[in-house]
Amino acid sequence: METNPAPEKHEEDNVSKDDEGGALSRKVTDETNTEMNIVRYSTRSRIGFFILGLLTFLPYTVVNCASRDIVEHYGKGNLIGMIYGANSSASIIMKLLNTFVLLRVPYGIRFFINGILMALGICGIAYAYNFPLAVCSVVFVGASAAFGENVALGYLSRFDSRLVNAWSSGTGFAGLVGSGMYVIFGCAVIMKGNEIENLSDKLNKYAFLTMLPGIMLYWVAYLYIIKKPGSPRTLRDYAGSAPSIENHTSTNGQYRENGHRAVLDSTNAILYHQCGDSETSSVTTETSIMETWHEQIRPTVRRMWICLKQIFWLALSLCLCTFCEYTIRIASSRVRFDKEYDKSCPELYASLQLCYQAALFASRSSVQILPIRKIGILTCIQIINMVVWVVDIKYKYLPVSILPAYMILVGLLGGAVYVNVFYMLLNDDKYPRDDRDLCTNIAAIFITMGISFSCITQTALLNTVFNTKGVGKGI
């Protein structure tokens, strides 16, 4: 008799279905695990960029809060703008250096160099024995903040654009921590009944030395907390190693795999190999420096010009808003009579800086909750605020009771302009992905321009139009 093969076929179908079901189940499980890893490492990167923002600007903000005590300690009361100016004097040089000279230097080296700059500035201010040395040390602190900002913003261009909120929150929180720490130190000394000279000595030394351990945490955040793009543990799009050009099709300057979303564009491919591929690094090392320079100078200049035209109005708004912010902050040291400063806890000038920094922190953390695209409106309001504060130096018509609330408004507007400008630069499709690193660096240079113009203007005004005899020690 012939046997019926149907049962065997039926069993084979069942086995096939079981295999398919098992494969599907494993695929779903793998995808779920991948998504969980992405979320986990995204959270780590958020924490890492928050720490970078915090520690990059912490010494910088403490210097600004201490500016009035520093100049009065050395009998230079009308030169408070010089401290703000020194804090930003090296910024343009450092940002230009990072943008046009060090752009291909591995990020790890640049973060390490920035930590050294930070330590030199902190120790210099703590142990400065005269005003010129204090000013030179402030220059190092400002150079560290500017260089660190440019490096971090460029590094951010390799990540999800939403991480800019973590960075901005860290920079805002740095102001809150720095000003709060300075207020606490000041209150502790005032409550002991010390003279203003002793207050300045202790604040300038201990408020800065307490920040030295943060430099180690700054390096740890880059090396271990932030998960780099290109690591298979970070994004499934970068599974394995960097994809080769042969396995991709080119679309608008980006390499795409099998029609799915881009895994590496041309810029990120260079940066990926720069940081993670030793073979490519060795090839680059063997390339003649002069040959590379001549090959890249023309396209680099063209890229800079294109980026400048694309971001000019955003960068100009950022520059104007920054100019107004710093003009107001310097003016806050002179909007009331001299006898109203240094007499209570918290000290008036330091408390106004604390209000500003608290508002800045809240505003810089708001981009995902309340994104704002009408940056020009906010800048115009800030210009009006600046005029009110500057005129008040002369006439002192603003009562002390409304100054903290007014400074909060200034901080809210400044933080909103800052974070929304960089969010648009890193997120909008109108800005080419290949050039976002360069665009953010150019925008950061405009910030420095705003700070520099403000310090020059205020120093000139305080020593001419608003020069009041007897204000400040030694003047």
Side-chain angles (χ1 to χ4, degrees):
M1 289 181 63
E2 295 182 0
T3 58
N4 188 357
E8 294 182 2
K9 183 178 180 180
H10 181 68
E11 291 177 1
E12 291 177 359
D13 291 342
N14 288 337
V15 172
S16 177
K17 290 179 179 179
D18 290 341
D19 290 341
E20 291 177 359
L24 180 61
S25 177
R26 287 193 297 272
K27 182 178 180 181
V28 171
T29 301
D30 291 342
E31 289 182 353
T32 302
N33 290 336
T34 301
E35 294 292 342
M36 291 176 63
N37 286 335
I38 291 173
V39 172
R40 179 157 57 95
Y41 289 111
S42 175
T43 301
R44 284 186 56 173
S45 294
R46 288 178 187 276
I47 295 172
F49 276 110
F50 179 87
I51 293 174
L52 285 183
L54 168 63
L55 296 177
T56 297
F57 280 93
L58 184 57
Y60 179 86
T61 56
V62 173
V63 165
N64 288 339
C65 290
S67 58
R68 189 173 187 276
D69 285 329
I70 292 174
V71 295
E72 290 197 349
H73 174 66
Y74 297 105
K76 308 292 182 180
N78 279 348
L79 297 181
I80 185 172
M82 183 176 290
I83 299 298
Y84 281 89
N87 217 7
S88 62
S89 60
S91 296
I92 291 182
I93 296 174
M94 298 305 296
K95 290 179 180 180
L96 290 174
L97 184 67
N98 179 65
T99 303
F100 305 123
V101 179
L102 302 177
L103 197 60
R104 293 185 181 275
V105 174
Y107 280 102
I109 295 177
R110 284 186 272 174
F111 278 113
F112 178 77
I113 292 173
N114 195 52
I116 298 300
L117 288 174
M118 201 181 301
L120 290 174
I122 290 172
C123 293
I125 296 174
Y127 294 104
Y129 56 84
N130 58 33
F131 187 65
L133 182 58
V135 171
C136 291
S137 301
V138 170
V139 170
F140 276 96
V141 171
S144 170
F147 185 62
E149 180 184 36
N150 254 35
V151 172
L153 289 172
Y155 194 46
L156 265 170
S157 67
R158 306 176 61 200
F159 293 80
D160 188 325
S161 61
R162 289 172 292 184
L163 287 176
V164 72
N165 195 44
W167 159 262
S168 296
S169 297
T171 62
F173 194 60
L176 189 60
V177 172
S179 56
M181 182 172 65
Y182 200 79
V183 166
I184 291 172
F185 271 98
C187 286
V189 176
I190 289 174
M191 290 173 65
K192 292 181 179 180
N194 288 23
E195 299 271 336
I196 184 62
E197 289 81 5
N198 292 331
L199 170 64
S200 298
D201 287 340
K202 294 185 178 182
L203 287 179
N204 294 342
K205 184 174 182 179
Y206 298 114
F208 284 94
L209 292 179
T210 53
M211 294 184 289
L212 283 175
I215 298 175
M216 296 302 299
L217 180 58
Y218 176 80
W219 288 329
V220 168
Y222 168 76
L223 291 172
Y224 300 108
I225 299 179
I226 297 174
K227 303 309 298 179
K228 283 60 172 183
S231 170
R233 297 173 298 171
T234 307
L235 295 175
R236 59 186 175 187
D237 302 302
Y238 292 89
S241 60
S244 61
I245 295 177
E246 295 81 28
N247 295 329
H248 297 78
T249 58
S250 178
T251 304
N252 296 328
Q254 297 179 338
Y255 295 107
R256 300 181 181 271
E257 184 177 21
N258 300 325
H260 292 83
R261 67 188 181 92
V263 292
L264 281 178
D265 58 30
S266 57
T267 300
N268 283 345
I270 294 173
L271 292 172
Y272 175 88
H273 289 294
Q274 175 191 16
C275 297
D277 194 286
S278 59
E279 294 182 3
T280 305
S281 298
S282 63
V283 173
T284 304
T285 305
E286 297 171 1
T287 303
S288 168
I289 297 177
M290 291 302 298
E291 180 182 350
T292 303
W293 172 259
H294 286 298
E295 288 178 354
Q296 294 180 357
I297 185 170
R298 290 186 64 184
T300 299
V301 171
R302 185 172 181 274
R303 282 181 61 207
M304 288 189 294
W305 177 245
I306 292 174
C307 286
L308 181 60
K309 289 193 297 183
Q310 288 179 325
I311 72 167
F312 179 75
W313 291 110
L314 278 182
L316 181 61
S317 294
L318 191 60
C319 178
L320 289 174
C321 189
T322 304
F323 173 84
C324 296
E325 281 181 75
Y326 277 77
T327 300
I328 292 171
R329 295 182 68 186
I330 296 172
S332 67
S333 69
R334 298 287 298 278
V335 292
R336 298 306 303 165
F337 297 102
D338 190 54
K339 63 181 181 180
E340 297 183 48
Y341 294 93
D342 307 318
K343 301 301 181 184
S344 62
C345 176
E347 192 269 332
L348 178 59
Y349 177 75
S351 63
L352 290 177
Q353 301 307 308
L354 178 60
C355 291
Y356 167 82
Q357 297 293 351
L360 195 71
F361 170 64
S363 186
R364 288 188 176 185
S365 306
S366 66
V367 66
Q368 292 182 1
I369 301 173
L370 184 64
I372 300 173
R373 304 189 67 86
K374 301 295 184 180
I375 301 300
I377 297 176
L378 301 184
T379 303
C380 290
I381 297 174
Q382 197 74 301
I383 292 173
I384 296 172
N385 291 336
M386 179 195 68
V387 173
V388 173
W389 280 81
V390 169
V391 174
D392 191 48
I393 297 176
K394 180 74 172 179
Y395 298 103
K396 297 178 171 45
Y397 51 79
L398 292 176
V400 174
S401 57
I402 73 166
L403 291 179
Y406 205 170
M407 188 62 85
I408 288 174
L409 175 62
V410 172
L412 289 174
L413 292 172
V417 170
Y418 177 93
V419 69
N420 282 281
V421 165
F422 283 107
Y423 182 78
M424 285 188 281
L425 291 178
L426 294 172
N427 193 59
D428 285 7
D429 293 335
K430 65 180 293 186
Y431 305 110
R433 185 176 180 83
D434 291 3
D435 295 328
R436 287 179 183 174
D437 189 354
L438 182 58
C439 288
T440 56
N441 284 327
I442 292 174
I445 291 173
F446 273 76
I447 292 177
T448 302
M449 292 169 58
I451 297 173
S452 300
F453 292 150
S454 171
C455 296
I456 293 171
T457 302
Q458 280 293 75
T459 300
L461 289 176
L462 291 178
N463 286 278
T464 54
V465 178
F466 299 131
N467 185 15
T468 303
K469 194 174 183 179
V471 176
K473 287 181 176 289
I475 296 179

